[in-house]
Amino acid sequence: FFNSGQNTILKDKDVRKALTMAIDREKIISDAVEDDGAIIDGPILSGFLTDETTNAVNLYDKTVAQKLLADVGWTLKDGEKYRINKKKETLKITLMTVDKSENVKAAGIIKSDWEEIGVQTEVKVVSASSIASDYIYNRKFEALLFGETYGPDMDPYNYWHSSAAKYPGYNLSQYSNTKADALLDAAHKSSDKVVRQKKYQEFQAIVAEDFPAIFLWQPKYTYYIDRKVQGMQITNIVTPSDRFYNLENAYINTKRTL
């Protein structure tokens, strides 16, 4: 999540786009989460916009990222490691994350990717017990690597509507777009799945143009069921206990013996 209120460099959409395109998300999937994840490219997860799972678009292109930064005045002088602007200010960002193994590994990869395009990057790791109260609630971060969990309804309203920009809302980038708000309002009020999918598709397209955050991965959880067990139908799992949703329908074929 980007927070331009704490770092004005992030007000520039081209800078945010460059930072997004510089990240090798496939490397994060393989090295940080050990292939137990899938790349995502927006706030609406695969399988909700349509009835089929779709593959996310990987925007990774460091050459384009470097050009974007140069075009908006962040130049890299010969022999220098970090970019500067006309005011001789260094392109610098502090990336905060929670003290969790996969997050720390992912933050290390992001730091390496950003520094490769000339962005001075500091990683700040905060304990799970204090990151919310000390930093997230008051939006005291420049860039935040942190996961969010939607409820069973998969409604992103409280995570992306402008009314949720301050605590207790979870719009961590403090994203504000009137068209996006209108679409979220309409979807939030509707119980028609087709209508909601259409509104969310339009919302997703707007977010993709604004780059308020970098969408990295969705965790995968593997649950094994013995092939002897019949009747289990697992669809969307939001919490681990959801895998037991229709447990009462499970059965094992047996033979009657005398």
Side-chain angles (χ1 to χ4, degrees):
F1 298 94
F2 294 128
N3 183 4
S4 60
Q6 293 289 316
N7 186 335
T8 56
I9 290 171
L10 298 172
K11 290 183 180 293
D12 191 323
K13 184 174 75 171
D14 284 331
V15 170
R16 300 195 303 271
K17 183 177 181 179
L19 293 172
T20 300
M21 298 189 73
I23 295 176
D24 186 351
R25 290 183 290 174
E26 289 184 357
K27 183 175 178 62
I28 290 176
I29 295 296
S30 63
D31 294 2
V33 300
E34 299 178 348
D35 292 320
D36 283 331
I39 292 174
I40 57 174
D41 54 8
I44 311 299
L45 303 181
S46 176
F48 188 75
L49 285 179
T50 65
D51 293 328
E52 297 179 356
T53 299
T54 55
N55 294 323
V57 177
N58 191 355
L59 298 175
Y60 180 53
D61 192 325
K62 284 185 177 174
T63 300
V64 173
Q66 290 173 327
K67 185 177 186 304
L68 283 167
L69 293 177
D71 287 348
V72 294
W74 292 104
T75 58
L76 189 61
K77 304 294 184 181
D78 290 341
E80 297 295 326
K81 186 175 181 180
Y82 302 121
R83 294 178 182 273
I84 59 172
N85 60 13
K86 291 181 179 180
K87 297 179 180 179
K88 307 298 182 183
E89 297 169 329
T90 301
L91 181 52
K92 180 179 179 181
I93 297 172
T94 298
L95 173 62
M96 182 181 295
T97 193
V98 67
D99 190 6
K100 182 180 178 183
S101 177
E102 62 185 27
N103 284 54
V104 174
K105 290 178 182 178
I109 294 170
I110 293 170
K111 172 183 169 68
S112 177
D113 287 339
W114 284 355
E115 296 223 330
E116 192 173 325
I117 64 168
V119 181
Q120 185 176 354
T121 308
E122 176 188 352
V123 173
K124 183 173 183 177
V125 180
V126 181
S127 69
S129 62
S130 64
I131 191 167
S133 58
D134 292 351
Y135 299 99
I136 293 179
Y137 292 164
N138 58 14
R139 311 297 194 251
K140 194 177 179 181
F141 57 84
E142 296 180 11
L144 175 69
L145 172 57
F146 197 75
E148 292 185 325
T149 302
Y150 291 171
D153 186 56
M154 297 293 287
D155 185 354
Y157 183 93
N158 199 39
Y159 297 88
W160 290 100
H161 195 277
S162 63
S163 65
K166 303 296 183 183
Y167 181 77
Y170 290 99
N171 180 354
L172 302 185
S173 290
Q174 301 175 78
Y175 179 58
S176 180
N177 182 300
T178 53
K179 291 182 179 179
D181 277 354
L183 291 166
L184 288 175
D185 284 330
H188 187 65
K189 295 172 182 177
S190 176
S191 59
D192 186 315
K193 181 179 179 180
V194 175
V195 170
R196 297 182 74 195
Q197 285 180 331
K198 184 177 185 300
K199 299 300 181 184
Y200 287 147
Q201 284 176 333
E202 295 176 40
F203 164 72
Q204 185 101 317
I206 292 173
V207 172
E209 289 294 322
D210 286 344
F211 296 94
I214 302 174
F215 302 95
L216 297 172
W217 79 88
Q218 175 185 2
K220 288 182 180 178
Y221 298 100
T222 303
Y223 298 106
Y224 296 96
I225 301 175
D226 193 298
R227 64 183 61 187
K228 296 178 182 178
V229 178
Q230 305 296 314
M232 292 289 288
Q233 294 182 344
I234 299 176
T235 53
N236 290 330
I237 296 178
V238 178
T239 63
S241 62
D242 289 344
R243 68 190 190 276
F244 300 122
Y245 176 71
N246 65 339
L247 184 62
E248 70 276 9
N249 296 325
Y251 64 91
I252 298 176
N253 287 324
T254 60
K255 293 181 179 180
R256 183 176 181 183
T257 59
L258 298 175

